[in-house]
Amino acid sequence: MDKLGKALSDIYSKFRIHFYMQIFSNFETREATLTTVETFSMECINALKNPTIAEFAHMMNISAPNAAYRVNSLLQKGYIEKIQSKEDQREYHIRPTKKYINYSNIYESYLKTIDERCKERFSKEDYDKLQEMLNIIDTELMPELNLEHIKKSSKKSK
């Protein structure tokens, strides 16, 4: 792995470790905590921005019954809600509840901290360039994770 790959891996690991440290430090005070698989599922549901169960299943590359089982578990724990589609009454979208948003704010608040530190550490030009490069990585260099494409392709495979 080259230097950039190692740097990206190290940063990604530090974000995950910080998130896990915060989650574990609050285990005793939370009810109905998420399992590891449920946490992964919630991150994908959140990233897809109100997917259908079929879109979630497609993204996770799992069967529709498996996806339905995971969704029902998350519904019972209060981390997601089902919203009936206005376009197709037979279809439901799933979205995180306030309970999950509070849970994920741990991650979001750390991102804000890092953003503020970058603004302080880098010149405006370097900060803007970093932002531009990260946007290029996000939108151009990771095409297999284009979430809109994933959502569209799951509709085609119905």
Side-chain angles (χ1 to χ4, degrees):
M1 184 180 314
D2 64 10
K3 288 181 183 179
L4 177 60
K6 177 154 180 15
L8 290 171
S9 177
D10 290 349
I11 290 168
Y12 177 64
S13 291
K14 287 178 181 176
F15 275 119
R16 284 194 335 248
I17 289 168
H18 181 270
F19 179 70
Y20 300 148
M21 286 169 48
Q22 298 305 306
I23 296 301
F24 280 108
S25 71
N26 293 321
F27 253 4
E28 296 83 29
T29 59
R30 269 205 322 272
E31 55 170 295
T33 57
L34 294 170
T35 67
T36 304
V37 172
E38 288 170 339
T39 300
F40 296 153
S41 297
M42 283 304 306
E43 288 182 20
C44 291
I45 290 166
N46 201 33
L48 283 169
K49 299 190 181 5
N50 304 333
T52 63
I53 296 171
E55 290 167 346
F56 168 65
H58 182 75
M59 179 180 187
M60 298 296 288
N61 199 24
I62 59 176
S63 68
N66 191 347
Y69 172 80
R70 297 197 187 291
V71 165
N72 285 332
S73 176
L74 293 167
L75 278 165
Q76 288 175 355
K77 290 185 176 186
Y79 287 102
I80 60 171
E81 58 188 348
K82 286 168 69 173
I83 309 298
Q84 192 169 27
S85 171
K86 291 179 179 144
E87 295 82 36
D88 183 347
Q89 300 291 313
R90 299 167 296 171
E91 192 172 72
Y92 286 85
H93 291 265
I94 49 180
R95 73 174 176 208
T97 61
K98 183 144 181 71
K99 183 175 182 177
Y100 177 74
I101 291 165
N102 290 339
Y103 183 87
S104 69
N105 277 344
I106 293 166
Y107 181 73
E108 297 294 324
S109 69
Y110 192 58
L111 284 175
K112 288 177 187 171
T113 299
I114 299 304
D115 183 49
E116 290 302 316
R117 289 175 182 167
C118 286
K119 286 177 184 173
E120 290 173 15
R121 170 65 175 86
F122 301 121
S123 68
K124 170 117 172 72
E125 295 79 22
D126 285 349
Y127 177 84
D128 290 345
K129 187 65 175 175
L130 175 61
Q131 190 173 21
E132 177 187 350
M133 289 189 291
L134 290 173
N135 283 334
I136 289 169
I137 291 169
D138 179 35
T139 60
E140 296 176 28
L141 304 181
M142 301 174 82
E144 60 281 345
L145 294 173
N146 178 324
L147 301 180
E148 285 305 313
H149 177 72
I150 290 170
K151 287 175 95 170
K152 287 177 187 172
S153 66
S154 74
K155 288 185 188 333
K156 291 178 186 173
S157 64
K158 282 186 179 179

